[in-house]
Amino acid sequence: MGYTIAQKIIKSHLVSGEMKTGSEIGLKIDQTLTQDATGTMAYLQLEAMGCDRVKTELSVAYIDHNTLQAGFENADDHRYIQTVAKKHGVRFSRPGNGICHQVHLERFGAPGKTLIGSDSHTPTAGGIGMLGMGAGGLDVAVAMGGGEYYITMPKMIRINLVGKLPDYVGAKDIILEVLRLLGVKGGVGAIVEYAGEGVKTLSVPQRATITNMGAELGATSSIFPSDEVTREFLRAEGREDVYVPLQSDSDAEYDDEYTIDISKLTPLAACPHSPDNVRPVSSLSGMKIDQVCIGSCTNSSMLDMLTVAAMLKGKTVHPDVSLSISPGSKQVYNMLAECGALADLIAAGARILECACGPCIGMGFSPKSKGVSLRTFNRNFLARSGTADAEVYLVSPETAAASAINGVFTDPTTLGEAPRVEIPKQFTVNDNLIEMPASMDAADAVLVERGPNIKPIPKGEAPAEDLSLKLVLKVGDNITTDHIMPAGTKVLPYRSNVPKLSEFCFTVCDKDFPKRARELGGGIILGGQNYGQGSSREHAALVPLYLGIRAVVAKSFARIHVANLINFGIVPLVLECEDDYEKISQGDDLYIKSFRKAVADSDSATIINRTNGARIGVKLNFTKRQREILLAGGMLNFTKQKNS
Ligand code: MIC
Ligand code: SF4
């Protein structure tokens, strides 16, 4: 039997385990990336593990999330990351150089290689035929130290693309269609591969829009073949030398297969508050809008920006609409300036932001109360924009630009002839904002600067003999990491300060949660399906740990989050029978006899609800490695014990 693209990359990077769907495998990681909102923790952990020099082929530290610098906190973190990167052999992408995924695609991504990043949208690299996966900072630190990255061997989903996109329909509409088909849980435990004739019609940035938002399917990764289009992109970046062709074998087997005729697609929008709540733009036409934001790692390439500039040229943004544009990288920004398209955007009245995550992570540009905001981003989770009652719709740059001009939701296909946009054959390459690390000899002399915002990482604890704790919070299905640990201007500056962050934990769902958890000295959380979807932020585990959470019970968990819980010694327990969710209420006294023993060697345990007498079965489906980590009270303790 032949191999899929992903299986080929996995096979050539397999260090441990068997390539059997559902079993744990350990992979050699060629490249890593971090960003500043997760990076401080990752490097603190690298230091705590005693690793002097990274062992990967390439590791890059980006500054792109926390660039507002409303106080000293972000700037402190930037300087810490800059100095720690220099000392440990990591390249540093300075603030102003762009969004990690966009820059990585442009300057470092390579077909056939593996990449993990402390950001859930790391699969963007799949647009160039690279196996990119999002991970918690601790897993990235381990990979930087030369350790394997463990995943569950994914199943393979193939999506055949047929035809060619019509005018005004973008790559974003393809991935929105996939989200409509599969839903936010549809990719869990899977790698999504794109194939078929339609693939050839899509440029690398378009492919990257699709693989980027594969994160919203819950997929482990998404990937395109590496072909002549890939080679052309790499040539334009002056990096043709890293090109290798990569296709699936004709007899490769897939677990699921879908076909999308992209020539029949119409503009789509993901409606509040979930990326899979997809409807045709035509059904929303005429709805009054207040804001449009164009950018983010999903839609900020030269192609996206040129398309928007061509649509805005000679027009004025509607008086009731505020339009922000953030190009994805300095390269894109520079080229927009060089070709004059930037002038068209400015003239139309767009508010041009720096090339960073910006409004996507709630760093400014929050909509007005009950505001309707159209965004070319990838997530429209409740309150992520910074305005709790805002209605955020995820759309393509084409729909965004058309609507910004008209002041109402506008289907761009109604606008007449589409502008023809050509991306340059050669990109402007200037890596002057990427700082090289110190040489081995000079590394000792580099002083790592730690500002007062950087606080120690909370320590995990080994599981108690018997677990006896209260249910401190009960939440529903599809709880995102933005619910658990919100972001935005007020919170993000404290990503290196867990005690301060804890004041915001779960406040989107229940503003009293931090106080209650503190008063009770911690407890257990109960969730529904897909608990912890969204971001890779390990703060969604670290902060509950700090508040004394020892276990989370749920109907099911999202991949990266469950790994983060285990890494920090919080035991994830899966309900054997989903209906038992009803048998536990907030405030109940829960008891698991011989809890520690169950973590050590049992696949199941029974929670006794001492408040109502119910007995609830839970599964502990852990590998031997995961049990050892949990018993040690988390990965850092585990690594220390192993090394002592
Ligand atoms: C996001 O899009 O939610 C983020 C911010 O990029 C996160 C990382 C973080 O929380 O720092 C992600 O996607 O992993
Ligand atoms: Fe940044 Fe938004 Fe992309 Fe996350 S999804 S990396 S916040 S641009």
Side-chain angles (χ1 to χ4, degrees), residues 26-57:
L27 294 178
K28 174 182 178 297
I29 297 302
D30 301 322
Q31 299 187 358
T32 63
L33 70 81
T34 56
Q35 39 90 337
D36 50 322
T38 52
T40 37
M41 282 299 163
Y43 296 107
L44 285 171
Q45 287 157 164
L46 185 76
E47 289 184 301
M49 287 178 334
C51 172
D52 292 336
R53 199 78 187 167
V54 297
K55 304 203 170 53
T56 44
E57 289 174 12

Side-chain angles (χ1 to χ4, degrees), residues 21 40 311 318 544:
T21 310
T40 37
M311 290 175 70
H318 190 276

